[in-house]
Amino acid sequence: GGQLIGVGQFAASSGSYGVSLEDLDVVGGYRGLWARGVAYLRIRGCRFVNAYGSEEINLCDGPDSTHNVDGAEFLNCVISPENNKTTIGMLLNGKAHSVKMSQCAVLFGTIGVRLKNTTGGSNPKFFYFSDGGFENGTSHGIYAEVGDDIKIMNSYVSLDGGLDGIYTGTAYAGSIKIIGTTIRGCGRDGVRINGGRPTIANCDIVNNGSATTGDGISIRSNATGYVVSGNRIGYAGDGLNAQRYGIYNALSAGGGIVAGD
């Protein structure tokens, strides 16, 4: 019932300033990694697979405000709870202050990365993902209940049916930028924006809506100030395209710009 690697603050008198993990193969366990109370976390060339618990990696899901992760960097890593379709790849709670992932693959499980607030109400601040991908999840690639700033750049999001490639909740009030990314094979919407200020540009959003009729981009009631520009939306030549609309605005969404799609 425990995690294979636990770093940081697990009692009032413990904690870590900086932790670096390199070239590790972390297989099984309830969790592969749980980090709390770490000023800087650097993970490079590691593989976290086959956790059977609630998430493969948990960043700072602690009981009080001191259990934060001020900065975390993942480079060239694989996160794959492949044996359990109900396990989240990575959970970031309100004290995950800055998380950057580059050249990483997040595979299988249910949600690739989930951002949520803490009991105290703080939100994750920054989440940047570039030059990597999410594949074969059964629910969402990225699920942002809350957050301040999200960027997904030059990446690939594809689900095993599931729901939405990228999803923001009604409480999300920050900025989300999706740039140069391919989003395909989702069961409902490629991108579903329920809240926040989205910019979606230069993306391929294709062959979605395969499980329940959905849209390429769905902009809903709490979204504000959106920009949708330079995207290719529709059919990609292989797979099933059941998208209802390329771009759908729920009318009560705030104003925005749609151009050059």
Side-chain angles (χ1 to χ4, degrees):
Q3 48 278 344
L4 297 186
I5 298 175
V7 295
Q9 187 170 356
F10 289 86
S13 61
S14 67
S16 300
Y17 180 78
V19 175
S20 179
L21 306 174
E22 296 192 20
D23 301 322
L24 296 179
D25 208 13
V26 183
V27 181
Y30 182 84
R31 294 187 186 96
L33 170 67
W34 191 8
R36 294 164 55 182
V38 182
Y40 180 65
L41 180 66
R42 184 175 186 268
I43 300 177
R44 181 170 183 168
C46 293
R47 179 174 170 261
F48 298 89
V49 300
N50 291 352
Y52 61 83
S54 52
E55 60 272 333
E56 182 76 50
I57 294 176
N58 184 315
L59 295 191
C60 64
D61 197 18
D64 64 60
S65 60
T66 65
H67 289 164
N68 60 323
V69 175
D70 288 330
E73 176 187 8
F74 293 80
L75 176 63
N76 194 24
C77 292
V78 173
I79 300 169
S80 179
E82 58 190 79
N83 286 347
N84 192 340
K85 291 188 175 183
T86 63
T87 298
I88 294 170
M90 181 185 294
L91 175 67
L92 312 177
N93 85 345
K95 305 178 189 75
H97 289 168
S98 178
V99 179
K100 298 177 182 179
M101 301 179 72
S102 181
Q103 302 173 44
C104 292
V106 183
L107 312 171
F108 299 100
T110 174
I111 298 169
V113 173
R114 180 180 178 182
L115 290 79
K116 72 181 189 74
N117 70 354
T118 63
T119 302
S122 64
N123 298 334
K125 289 185 170 57
F126 310 110
F127 175 70
Y128 300 155
F129 188 95
S130 67
D131 303 291
F134 298 83
E135 291 190 64
N136 295 333
T138 60
S139 182
H140 300 85
I142 295 173
Y143 185 113
E145 296 178 33
V146 292
D148 289 342
D149 189 64
I150 296 173
K151 291 184 176 69
I152 301 103
M153 299 166 287
N154 305 325
S155 295
Y156 182 82
V157 181
S158 178
L159 298 180
D160 185 10
L163 289 173
D164 313 305
I166 298 171
Y167 175 99
T168 66
T170 57
Y172 186 86
S175 169
I176 179 168
K177 293 180 175 64
I178 307 165
I179 310 295
T181 291
T182 296
I183 303 170
R184 65 182 299 154
C186 303
R188 187 169 61 183
D189 301 329
V191 179
R192 190 177 182 95
I193 302 294
N194 294 297
R197 303 181 304 279
T199 297
I200 305 167
N202 302 328
C203 295
D204 280 1
I205 302 174
V206 295
N207 292 1
N208 298 296
S210 59
T212 180
T213 301
D215 307 311
I217 299 171
S218 184
I219 301 169
R220 309 187 74 81
S221 59
N222 283 8
T224 59
Y226 56 87
V227 175
V228 179
S229 177
N231 302 288
R232 177 176 176 266
I233 306 171
Y235 179 57
D238 62 325
L240 173 66
N241 175 37
Q243 293 178 178
R244 179 183 59 164
Y245 299 114
I247 303 168
Y248 173 75
N249 186 313
L251 300 181
S252 55
I257 296 170
V258 177
D261 296 293

